[in-house]
Structure formats: C-alpha cells, structure tokens
Amino acid sequence: MAKPETGKPILPKARLPKGMRDVPAAEVRAMEKMLATIRGVYELYGFEPLATSAIEFTEALGKFLPDQDRPNAGVFSFQDEDEEWMSLRYDLTAPLARYVAENYDALPKPYRRYQTGSVWRNEKPGPGRFREFVQFDCDTVGTDNVAADAEICIMAADALEALGLKGNYVIKINNRKVLDGIMAVIGLSGADNFVRRLTVLRAIDKFDRLGSDGVRALLGKGREDESGDFTKGADLTEAQINPLVHLLEGTTFGVIMGSNFDAVNAWKNDPQFNVNEIYNSGIDELRRMAELTNAAGYQNDRIKMDSSVVRGLEYYTGPVFEAELTFDTVGDDGKPVRFGSVGGGGRYDGLVGRFRSEAVPATGFSIGVSRLYAALKQLGKLGADKALGPVLVLVMDKDRLGDYQKMASTLRQAGIAAEMYVGTSGMKPQMKYADKRGSPCVIIQGGDEKAKGEVTIKDLIAGAKAAAAITDRAAWTEGRPAQVQVPEGKLVEAVREILARHT
RNA sequence: GCCGCUUUAGCUCAGUUGGUUAGAGCACCAGAUUGUGGAUCUGGGGGUCCCCCGUUCGAGCCGGGGAAGCGGUACCA
C-alpha cells in the first residue's frame, strides 16, 4: 500500500480473535483422516450422518435467552433483521433435539445419527481449550432402553481403538439416578436444595483431580486453591459428607478393582442407600449395562463403572459416560501433560421434550476432536510423515508457459499431483519454492533441453542428501546431483520412478 | 469472575543513572557467485517500544489508570 506523504495509512492489525485457531495443512489432513476413521466405526454400527446448520434460533438452543442486551455469556449471539435472536451452536445435541422435534414423524424410531462439526463457546479460552472446536457426536433418539446406552459405550470404545488407543483409554460409566438417590438419602432432595445439589455434583466431579480431601472441603465449608481463589462449599455436615466420600473412595461400595458386576453388586447391596427407589433403578440400569457390555466382550479394562463420573450438570437424566485417556506424556515445555477426558455423554430424556408435549428419550456421546487429536499427536499415532508436495514444473522461459502448462497437465492426467510455477521469479527462487512445498522433484526444460527434445528431472529429496556433503561453491554449482535428462515422451515414466523411491 | 506473571521488528530477545535518527540474532525479500535448494558476500523491507494520562527541558525506561496475552482457578450446556 502506498504511503501518503503526510503519514502512514492506518492498517488493520492482522490478528485472530482469541480462542480461535488457524489449522495448517498437515493438521487438516491428519484431522480428516481421523474423522474418517471414527465415521467408519459409526457407519458400521448403522448410524447415519446428519448435518445441521451452525446457526439456530437462540430460543431453540435453550437456556441462553436474550433478556437484556445480548446473551453473550457462553454463546455467540446476534439479532436477525426481524430482531429475532440467533446463536452459533454451542454443541451438536441441542440442534439434534430441534431437528428431531421438527421432523419427528418422518424419522425412524429409534433414530440413530452421527454428526461432526465446529461448535462455538463464548468463554475464556485456556490451554487446549478454544472458543471454536470440533465435536463428533453420535446419538440414539426415541428409546429409553439402556441397550442404546450400552451400545453407544462400546461404539465409543471401538472408535478409540480404531484410532490406535487400545490400552490407553477407559470409558467410565455412572448413573445420575444413583447420585440423586444418595443425595435424597442424605436429605438433599426437594426444590430448595437444588443449588446445593449442583454444588455437590461439581465437588464429586473434581474427585479425580482433588482427591478425598479436596472434595471434602468442597462439600463442607469450601476450598482455597494455590492461586488464592476461594470456592464456596456445599456446607454439608460430616454425616452427610462421609457417605459421599466413601462412595468415591470405593470403600463403602467396595471392589472398584473387581469386575463391573462386582462393583454394581456392591453398590446394589449397600444397606445405607438401597432403600431409595431412584437409587435402585439407577443401579439396575448400571447392572443391565454391565451385562450388555460384558456380553459384547468389553471388560472393565475398557468400560468401567466409576462412581465419580458426573458430566454436565443439568440435562443428563440417567447413565452418564466419560472417555478418559489413561496415559501421561511430557509436553513441549517439559511439563507432564495429562489429557484426561476426550469425550463424554449420557442419557438426556428431557431435551427433545422441550419442543413437544410427549417425552422423547435419547442418549448420546460426544468426542472432543481437537483434544483427541492433540493426544494422538503426542502418542505419535498420526503417521507423522508429512505429505509430499506437488511435482513442480519450472518456468525457464517466460514465452513458453503453454509448454510448461502442458507438462503439468500430462502429469495430472497420469494421476500425479503437479503444478506449473505461477509466480514471477527466476529459477533459484523457483527451486526454493519447490523445496518449501516439499516437492519430490522438479521438471526443468530450458533452451538446452528444448533443443534436444528432452526434459531434466531433478530429484529434490535425493538431491538434498547428496548436497549435504558439498561445502564449496564450485562443487555445488557443478555437482547437480540427482538429476536425469529424458526424452519429453518419457516424462511421466521418469517421474513415477522418482516417486516410487520416496513413498 | 478471582489470583499471579508478562507486553520493544514476523520470531527470540538486548536496550546503561531518563538524553540525538531504538538495536542484535533468526526469518523474509532482492542482487552477486553469469541454469539449480545449501554455504558465503552485499543490499533491502519491516517498529504507534501495548494504550491513555501524569512527572520532566526530554520517557522504551519513572508514577497512576486501562487493555491484551500467558498460567492457575472458577464456570463449562
């Protein structure tokens, strides 16, 4: 841009909004491969694809109704011409509920679909957490049979194993009814205890990270963390806290290390809680899920009952699942990286019902694709070798672009990725360009070759190796390693030979 | 939201007790080595020293306020 003499033009700053990310070529390719693997597993189970819009009416997403100015807490929202509030979707489940309600009569019941896409959350990003990220969901809508829940768990397990994570993950299962039942027994039922129940659930959810003492603090008076932030507790009495902590520690319900049946039976037989009806029905559902996953050949090294799983706070109504990676690695900064949860889900029998008078039970599982990608990368399961770039046809003589274009076309017709250099620089920059693009070879035809009806093909990969030994300028310019001259007609054949060497 | 740290070129960072036109390395671009990636040499483009206010003859540096980034924590449909 020209600078006026009086001063500089005010340029927009090239920057990306916080929490957003640009994804470079290698990652796009690896990500697509990963998504295709998951998709393959889901198709195998008979789930069908669905794509819904990224934008929904705010009302349809629920929860974040625009009350005053703009509902900017949590979701990205804006007003349409007719002043209706719209929002970017913050997950794939709420749009599914809307879709099912809108097309209810036409859909097969149960309706089983998978969907992947970006979702947006307008909140503070953190390490490994973005405001735009990709989820991969599968859901079964229209049945309250826990067979659907069990199936989703084994399907999630299959998907993770198809990605090479066998032995590095576990799907943990719990049931919200169990937790609700226990909370009823210790006197936390009823509408006036709603906030307290949420606080209790949050505390339980942190058991993994904070352990018994941390959870005790959160269930009682509260807890101050290392950075000086104080989290208000649920203000329970010791008598109320003890059963909850014992549940988490597995000392009351025993046998976390045993089979899923042992775990469920221990829970079932606990005299303190099995007087409660909700608790019993939750335990019963877990028992049936244990039977089904067991029958399918999934033991508790892959799918495991775990009393600390809570997941999101409000919309889950029954079984809840969480996929956790069970390995630690060392990150770029030398600190240990723990990936933890890479997906989760559960039964949400109330969501579709928001749109209809009759209840529509549903269950689903969502994979956090970006996070899973980061984990796979750390584990080296992505096939780190970068893709070869295109064969580059150099422009030696600017009057003969047609000839060069024809060579590129010939290569493409043979199924070889190729491009003619479309910049304006000389030969050396073109070589640098080819280098940067990762081209396996370049096609050179200047006046000399043209006169002989030949082309020179330089193998850049072999050339780089050969050149590494050269130190002086003369040897460099005259060496010209790893290149051959062939008749024009043998172009494709000669390029194929070089490609074969490098794949 | 709360706590802490940070902010000078695309990147990593220097910058004296406040003192002329703010520097380095790397990266980038161009040229030379006369048609070849590297090396070398020469040259070049790039800066609102995060912003505002104050102190001062004079602020990248001192004081106040703010913003943004990073990290932790909370929330997380």
Side-chain angles (χ1 to χ4, degrees):
Chain A
M1 195 178 282
K3 294 177 188 175
E5 274 177 85
T6 48
K8 295 182 182 180
I10 296 165
L11 301 174
K13 192 165 184 182
R15 63 194 179 126
L16 193 62
K18 70 173 172 188
M20 303 297 176
R21 247 164 55 79
D22 296 316
V23 185
E27 188 173 335
V28 171
R29 293 193 178 109
M31 187 78 83
E32 275 170 2
K33 204 171 153 193
M34 185 180 141
L35 293 175
T37 302
I38 299 170
R39 188 175 300 125
V41 171
Y42 289 3
E43 288 273 356
L44 207 52
Y45 274 77
F47 283 66
E48 65 176 43
L50 172 71
T52 61
S53 162
I55 296 172
E56 297 273 350
F57 284 118
T58 304
E59 179 190 52
L61 294 179
K63 266 195 85 165
F64 295 96
L65 301 176
D67 37 27
Q68 294 160 6
D69 283 342
R70 80 182 352 226
N72 56 1
V75 290
F76 289 99
S77 302
F78 51 92
Q79 273 177 298
D80 203 0
E81 296 164 10
D82 57 5
E83 308 215 327
E84 279 218 71
W85 280 99
M86 316 184 84
S87 298
L88 284 172
R89 64 186 177 205
Y90 55 80
D91 70 9
L92 298 174
T93 310
L96 170 68
R98 186 227 87 219
Y99 175 81
V100 169
E102 197 172 342
N103 299 279
Y104 193 74
D105 295 342
L107 293 173
K109 263 76 70 180
Y111 173 58
R112 299 143 66 72
R113 73 91 242 228
Y114 66 85
Q115 177 171 5
T116 185
S118 285
V119 302
W120 295 266
R121 294 186 186 179
N122 190 5
E123 34 186 46
K124 186 189 142 188
R129 292 184 55 170
F130 300 93
R131 289 154 96 204
E132 175 181 13
F133 57 98
V134 177
Q135 292 193 327
F136 202 133
D137 278 32
C138 58
D139 295 83
T140 298
V141 184
T143 176
D144 59 4
N145 189 345
V146 290
D149 300 274
E151 179 193 51
I152 285 210
C153 289
I154 65 175
M155 187 165 82
D158 280 6
L160 293 176
E161 290 185 20
L163 292 169
L165 288 171
K166 185 157 192 170
N168 289 317
Y169 78 95
V170 61
I171 310 279
K172 301 190 296 189
I173 301 180
N174 194 15
N175 195 314
R176 292 292 280 269
K177 292 178 183 172
V178 172
L179 299 172
D180 287 344
I182 292 175
M183 287 194 287
V185 169
I186 61 173
L188 293 179
S189 53
D192 43 334
N193 277 309
F194 179 73
V195 174
R196 221 179 214 191
R197 282 202 299 275
L198 292 186
T199 309
V200 170
L201 291 176
R202 282 183 196 128
I204 292 173
D205 199 31
K206 292 186 175 57
F207 180 68
D208 268 4
R209 193 158 45 83
L210 302 181
S212 298
D213 291 345
V215 172
R216 264 179 194 282
L218 287 171
L219 289 173
K221 295 260 181 288
R223 174 176 182 273
E224 186 176 316
D225 63 63
E226 313 84 63
S227 72
D229 195 17
F230 182 77
T231 310
K232 198 173 177 315
D235 248 335
L236 301 186
T237 64
E238 277 294 300
Q240 291 173 307
I241 292 173
N242 285 333
L244 288 169
V245 172
H246 283 313
L247 168 78
L248 294 172
E249 288 174 341
T251 50
T252 298
F253 305 99
V255 220
I256 292 293
M257 305 309 292
S259 75
N260 284 329
F261 291 113
D262 293 337
V264 173
N265 283 330
W267 296 0
K268 184 177 178 64
N269 294 329
D270 188 271
Q272 206 172 350
F273 300 119
N274 67 7
V275 294
N276 182 281
E277 198 180 314
I278 304 171
Y279 178 87
N280 284 335
S281 87
I283 291 291
D284 188 51
E285 288 177 2
L286 285 179
R287 184 185 52 75
R288 282 155 62 207
M289 285 183 71
E291 280 169 12
L292 289 165
T293 53
N294 195 56
Y298 296 77
Q299 312 303 326
N300 71 350
D301 56 334
R302 294 194 279 176
I303 296 179
K304 176 178 157 188
M305 302 297 154
D306 183 319
S307 55
S308 71
V309 176
V310 175
R311 297 301 300 170
L313 297 176
E314 296 188 53
Y315 78 39
Y316 292 117
T317 55
V320 285
F321 339 121
E322 186 156 287
E324 188 182 324
L325 297 185
T326 53
F327 63 92
D328 293 339
T329 54
V330 177
D332 299 335
D333 54 0
K335 290 180 186 167
V337 178
R338 192 144 188 220
F339 288 101
S341 172
V342 291
R347 178 159 284 280
Y348 50 99
D349 285 346
L351 255 199
V352 183
R354 294 202 312 114
F355 300 96
R356 302 175 57 83
S357 49
E358 64 186 306
V360 180
T363 186
F365 185 86
S366 175
I367 293 175
V369 171
S370 313
R371 206 154 179 192
L372 184 54
Y373 173 87
L376 289 171
K377 194 172 171 188
Q378 276 289 333
L379 267 184
K381 303 264 185 196
L382 287 176
D385 46 6
K386 58 181 175 187
L388 286 180
V391 172
L392 185 72
V393 180
L394 299 195
V395 173
M396 302 298 290
D397 179 349
K398 289 193 169 76
D399 296 329
R400 292 182 44 234
L401 288 183
D403 292 348
Y404 300 130
Q405 188 64 71
K406 194 178 164 196
M407 288 182 210
S409 290
T410 303
L411 288 167
R412 286 176 200 138
Q413 276 156 26
I416 297 165
E419 66 179 59
M420 179 185 80
Y421 177 73
V422 292
T424 53
S425 300
M427 183 177 183
K428 185 165 175 143
Q430 292 186 45
M431 291 297 294
K432 285 176 128 178
Y433 172 79
D435 192 36
K436 208 167 235 182
R437 291 295 308 277
S439 297
C441 61
V442 295
I443 311 301
I444 304 166
Q445 191 190 53
D448 300 350
E449 291 93 344
K450 178 67 182 167
K452 288 189 272 183
E454 293 184 336
V455 292
T456 296
I457 301 172
K458 174 154 187 164
D459 180 338
L460 292 187
I461 295 166
K465 279 183 196 147
I470 298 176
T471 49
D472 69 299
R473 176 76 198 162
W476 176 259
T477 51
E478 286 158 28
R480 305 214 175 151
Q483 57 187 60
V484 290
Q485 283 198 23
V486 299
E488 278 179 323
K490 299 228 166 163
L491 174 64
V492 168
E493 196 180 313
V495 169
R496 279 208 175 116
E497 222 169 88
I498 290 173
L499 289 178
R501 258 181 248 157
H502 300 301
T503 47

